[in-house]
Amino acid sequence: MKKSINGHELEIPNHVAIIMDGNGRWAKKRFLPRNMGHVEGAKTVEQICEDAWDLGIKYLTVYAFSTENWKRPKSEVDALMNLLNKYLVDSIERTSKNNMRVRVIGDKSKLSEDLQANIANLEKASSVNDGLQFTIALNYGSRDEITRAIKNIANDVKAGIVNPEDIDESYISSRLDTFDIPDPDIMIRTSGEERLSNWMLWQLAYAEFYFTDCLWPDFNKDELIKAIEYYNCRDRRYGGVKG
Ligand code: IPE
Ligand code: IPE
Ligand code: MG
C-alpha cells in the first residue's frame, strides 16, 4: 500500500515487528527506578498502535517479554507482569473502540493463571476486529517457539496427520505461534542494540532491519516514519536480480 507522508509517496510495510528496548536506560537517565521506564514504555505501546494504524500499517508485533527475561530480579519480573495484566484488562474496552485485534504469542502455559485468563478474554473479545492486527510476544523466544512447533509436527506425524515427505516450509509456518499472521516486512529495534535476542528467527528471514538509538519510551510517530522511510530506500530482491 502506498501513502503520502510529509509530501512523499511511501510504500507502507504490511507488517512491522518491534523489539521495544531501552526502558531501563530511559529510567536510569532520569534517576528513576527501572519500572518507571516500563510504565512509560507501556504508554508508548498504546500510542504507537494508533500511529501505526494511522500510517496504514495492518500488522504490528511487539516483543514485550522474552523467555530470557525471567533472569531479571523478581521485583522487575513481577512489575512487568502486573503492567502486562493491567494492559490486557484495559485493552478490552480500547480494542472494541478502535477495532483492534490482539493476539499473544509465546509460551502462555508458563504465565500465571490470572494472566492466561486475561489473555484469553482479550483475544476472544477482539477476535472479530479487523483494524490493526496487534500481536504481543509474551514469554516468547524464537528457539522455544520452533522447539514447540517441532514437537507438534512430530505428534502430527505420529497421529498420521502428515507424512514426513509432505512437511514443507508452509507446513512449518502453520505450526508456529504466528500461523495466522504474515511474515514481518521490517524489524525495528530501539536503544542502539543490534541483535535479535531470540526474536522471530524464522519469520524475519527476508525482513529489512532498522536500528535506532532512540529508547523505547521516546519512540513516536516521527520515529516510525523514519523507519518507513528507511524501508523505502531498500531494494528487496529476495535473492533475485532487479534492474
Ligand atoms: C525493554 O527494555 C523491555 C523489556 C525487555 C521487558 P529493557 O528493560 O530491556 O531496557 P534496557 O535494555 O535495560 O535499557
Ligand atoms: C529483548 O530485550 C526482549 C524484549 C524487548 C522483550 P532485552 O533487553 O531483554 O535483550 P538483551 O538482553 O539486550 O539481549
Ligand atoms: Mg534491554
Side-chain angles (χ1 to χ4, degrees), residues 19-25 34 69 72 189-191 193 195 197:
I19 302 179
M20 314 183 287
D21 199 11
N23 292 352
R25 278 163 283 171
R34 289 180 58 85
N69 287 148
R72 295 188 180 202
R189 182 167 189 156
T190 58
S191 88
E193 306 301 342
R195 54 176 169 257
S197 302

Side-chain angles (χ1 to χ4, degrees), residues 58 95-96 98-103 121-133:
K58 179 81 184 161
T95 52
S96 83
N98 63 14
N99 195 27
M100 178 168 117
R101 176 170 178 181
V102 182
R103 295 173 174 83
N121 273 344
L122 179 60
E123 285 187 325
K124 189 158 175 263
S126 69
S127 65
V128 292
N129 299 344
D130 61 2
L132 181 74
Q133 302 294 294

